[in-house]
Amino acid sequence: MTITCKLGDIRTNAAIWALIGKDPGDAVCTLLEPESLTNAYRLDDYYNKQYSFPNDNNAVLAQYELDHLYYKARVLEYDFRIIGPVLNGYFRIACERKDERKEQLFQANLLHFYSDGSDTPDVLSRGELYDMAAYFLAENGTEHPDEIECTIEVSEAPAPVIWCKLRDLEDVLRRALADVYTNREMIELEFISQPDDHFYQYVYDYEVQIPVLGLHFLYGLEANDKASVYDSGFRFLDDCLLVYDETDGKGWGRSCDTIPQYVDWYCKQHPRRSQDGMQLDVPDELDCRIELPYRMCRYEVYPCPLEL
């Protein structure tokens, strides 16, 4: 999909997302190799992490997130690019880890500029893409950056997918999504249950489906956030499994089981039988479809079988 606009139409990154009709939490990313960023030029404020907060509680929580969530350098680029022909290159929006929270404590956006023909970023920055592009244009003597024509190219490649049997599912998830678990790459949900005003539910940024049964699953964590000057207060309390059943369409429900345990219970409750009375569903043999949050490179073709 290709969208044409003027730079003045995308003065904020939020305007870019609105134009392409996507939400960051649902967008596919590509994981960059750390070596690809080694030689890129960093604009002066690229590593500025001096955050200010209106109250001490947020400052404590922010320090907790820096200490416990940003374990290592992981850069993921979203699956679209903004081309500025007069700059002889294009921009990509990226992030250090996919973290979709209702109240962002940190500036989430990273910005990469690629010169034409380059496979790796030439310049790195943060913040609003408009500001970075306007800075480059001013360096080139352009007086009216808002009138510059831009093209947004959005990838139409299918989301990355892994297929496996239910009996192998948990092992596949551990191997394929180890970094997603380690870096707490999550999406914050609306409350499914509300024990108190400081209760949150996060789900890891992937989905498991059992197509033949019409079941969808999200794994996640429940957390309690009561920050104070004495204690960060942000604690993950319990694992949670959210289940959506296409047959009843009642929305996501909570389960304490693992996915294999839930599917085993489901097959016993909803037996599917052939004409001779034999039960059709053998849970261990059911096909599972895992929608991944990112590609390992731009050249992978999906959906694909398990090759780990």
Side-chain angles (χ1 to χ4, degrees), residues 268-280:
K268 291 175 181 176
Q269 297 297 314
H270 304 82
R272 288 148 39 96
R273 300 183 181 279
S274 64
Q275 290 182 349
D276 58 6
M278 295 294 292
Q279 186 167 332
L280 294 176

Side-chain angles (χ1 to χ4, degrees), residues 185-240:
E185 289 164 10
M186 297 178 171
I187 297 171
E188 185 176 352
L189 298 181
E190 297 293 336
F191 293 131
I192 293 177
S193 56
Q194 301 183 53
D196 57 52
D197 292 337
H198 300 277
F199 182 78
Y200 300 90
Q201 287 177 317
Y202 299 85
V203 292
Y204 290 110
D205 192 23
Y206 66 90
E207 182 176 307
V208 178
Q209 300 171 9
I210 314 291
V212 72
L213 300 180
L215 296 176
H216 300 243
F217 299 91
L218 299 173
Y219 266 131
L221 296 170
E222 296 174 341
N224 194 297
D225 173 11
K226 290 185 177 179
S228 72
V229 295
Y230 305 106
D231 183 4
S232 70
F234 188 89
R235 295 188 181 89
F236 288 111
L237 303 176
D238 198 4
D239 295 336
C240 65

Side-chain angles (χ1 to χ4, degrees), residues 175-187:
R175 290 186 288 143
L177 296 158
D179 284 329
V180 173
Y181 293 136
T182 299
N183 291 278
R184 304 272 195 217
E185 289 164 10
M186 297 178 171
I187 297 171

Side-chain angles (χ1 to χ4, degrees), residues 248-262:
D248 59 32
K250 293 181 180 178
W252 295 97
R254 189 182 185 283
S255 172
C256 296
D257 296 326
T258 64
I259 291 177
Q261 289 171 335
Y262 184 91

Side-chain angles (χ1 to χ4, degrees), residues 103-205:
E103 296 183 17
Q104 291 285 351
L105 293 179
F106 303 113
Q107 193 172 60
N109 294 317
L110 304 180
L111 303 173
H112 297 166
F113 177 76
Y114 291 74
S115 59
D116 287 338
S118 177
D119 291 329
T120 59
D122 296 280
V123 184
L124 312 183
S125 188
R126 292 183 183 272
E128 304 291 352
L129 185 145
Y130 173 90
D131 295 335
M132 188 179 184
Y135 172 79
F136 288 164
L137 291 166
E139 291 286 301
N140 291 343
T142 302
E143 296 183 356
H144 303 289
D146 284 11
E147 297 304 312
I148 297 298
E149 297 285 342
C150 298
T151 301
I152 305 176
E153 290 185 353
V154 183
S155 173
E156 296 186 35
V161 169
I162 287 178
W163 289 88
C164 68
K165 296 296 184 181
L166 184 63
R167 62 173 177 270
D168 302 318
L169 176 63
E170 293 195 302
D171 182 53
V172 171
L173 291 176
R174 280 192 295 269
R175 290 186 288 143
L177 296 158
D179 284 329
V180 173
Y181 293 136
T182 299
N183 291 278
R184 304 272 195 217
E185 289 164 10
M186 297 178 171
I187 297 171
E188 185 176 352
L189 298 181
E190 297 293 336
F191 293 131
I192 293 177
S193 56
Q194 301 183 53
D196 57 52
D197 292 337
H198 300 277
F199 182 78
Y200 300 90
Q201 287 177 317
Y202 299 85
V203 292
Y204 290 110
D205 192 23

Side-chain angles (χ1 to χ4, degrees), residues 60 77 87 110 158 225 238 247 301:
V60 173
E77 286 185 339
L87 293 174
L110 304 180
D225 173 11
D238 198 4
T247 61
V301 178

